[in-house]
Amino acid sequence: MKALPLIAALLALAAPAAGQELPDLGGRTIVAVTENAYVPLNFADPKTGEGIGLEYDLFNEIAKRLNAQVDWELASWDVMIQAVRDGQFDVGMDGITINAEREEQIDFSDPYLTSQQLMLVRADEERFSDAQSFASDDQLLVGAQAGTTNFYVAVYDMLDGDEANPRIKLFDTFGASVQALASGDVDTVLMDQTSANGYIGANPGAFKVVGEALGTEEFGFIFTPGSDLVEPVNAAIAAIKADGTLAALEEKWFYQYNAAQ
């Protein structure tokens, strides 16, 4: 009981930091780009065609807290990083893993989500149960998008390190690789835990996850090098984490959305 006053005092000291005033961007319009093909982070609502998902909600909330507007644009994954680097867009998002190679090209926000790479397979798959048994059968194929974390994990953590390995079938979009899995054209697709939950929840009885996680990754927003938006967005991310808003968005998109499908 004697510790309670000390705890209360510490919380009182911490409160101003957690609730400190965020930068005011004065109504500035931020041009944001995504792909609309990464359930449940960003995708088209099947009923309305409107872009929805955790990243939409999160960045809209960030902009609201910074007194900014968001102009949403779409671009394919293969051009997104270069387009943001060139200043065609202010910020990009598509479940983009923070890594050293990309940090040489663009600026990252602080991470807003941590996830792991998993093997999504058809629900009736029994020929393999993990990465090792998959790799040992040269008839099995993995679907991926070139240049993504999923692609590199397939190359270096599942197979033989050959980026031209014919067992890797490339697709223009992440959604197309999952469609190929569903139709039997490939036998697994690697994805983060959040996206795997989304596809399993949206397609009951169609998919499952096998094996252990193949690695941990952190997602960040990307910016044109030297962007003055990085620090304000990082401040907003910290506030959104601290007050429970991010946890509520994860609950909405990873659990409630899945359950409603």
Side-chain angles (χ1 to χ4, degrees):
M1 294 296 292
K2 292 181 180 179
L4 289 178
L6 176 59
I7 293 172
L10 291 173
L11 289 174
L13 288 173
Q20 69 185 40
E21 187 173 344
L22 293 175
D24 187 332
L25 298 185
R28 172 177 174 178
T29 296
I30 300 171
V31 182
V33 64
T34 189
E35 187 183 18
N36 259 18
Y38 205 175
V39 179
L41 300 184
N42 60 77
F43 60 106
D45 186 324
K47 296 179 181 178
T48 67
E50 178 186 4
I52 59 173
L54 182 142
E55 289 178 334
Y56 276 100
D57 282 0
L58 175 56
F59 203 81
N60 283 335
E61 179 66 20
I62 288 170
K64 177 182 176 182
R65 296 191 186 203
L66 297 176
N67 186 23
Q69 306 296 318
V70 186
D71 178 10
W72 288 100
E73 301 286 348
L74 298 179
S76 62
W77 163 254
D78 59 345
V79 303
M80 188 179 298
I81 291 178
Q82 186 64 46
V84 172
R85 180 183 181 183
D86 292 344
Q88 295 179 41
F89 309 103
D90 298 317
V91 59
M93 63 205 75
D94 197 24
I96 302 175
T97 303
I98 300 171
N99 63 36
E101 180 181 356
R102 290 172 182 159
E103 286 178 325
E104 293 179 357
Q105 304 178 61
I106 38 82
D107 287 348
F108 271 102
S109 70
D110 291 336
Y112 58 87
L113 198 64
T114 300
S115 195
Q116 295 179 310
Q117 289 291 303
L118 300 170
M119 297 176 68
L120 189 74
V121 302
R122 291 181 294 278
D124 60 356
E125 181 59 72
E126 296 181 351
R127 295 168 297 170
F128 60 96
S129 58
D130 55 23
Q132 291 73 29
S133 54
F134 176 89
S136 66
D137 185 343
D138 61 10
Q139 299 302 306
L140 299 174
L141 306 176
V142 56
Q145 274 181 288
T148 63
T149 298
N150 307 339
F151 171 78
Y152 291 116
V153 171
V155 171
Y156 295 104
D157 296 338
M158 288 179 60
L159 298 175
D160 58 3
D162 178 7
E163 295 186 13
N165 191 314
R167 293 181 60 185
I168 303 175
K169 300 300 180 183
L170 298 179
F171 296 88
D172 291 335
T173 68
F174 187 75
S177 68
V178 179
Q179 292 174 359
L181 174 62
S183 64
D185 294 329
V186 298
D187 303 296
T188 189
V189 172
L190 300 185
M191 62 181 65
D192 58 89
Q193 178 72 68
T194 59
S195 195
N197 289 344
Y199 279 105
I200 291 171
N203 302 273
F207 301 114
K208 66 181 180 182
V209 166
V210 298
E212 299 294 327
L214 299 175
T216 300
E217 59 185 351
E218 292 183 317
F219 296 160
F221 300 116
I222 62 171
F223 299 88
T224 305
S227 172
D228 63 351
L229 289 171
V230 176
E231 288 190 10
V233 168
N234 282 344
I237 290 173
I240 287 168
K241 287 180 177 179
D243 67 16
T245 300
L246 183 55
L249 290 178
E250 291 180 9
E251 172 70 21
K252 172 184 175 180
W253 289 107
F254 301 155
Y255 301 102
Q256 295 177 13
Y257 176 79
N258 292 344
Q261 302 310 297

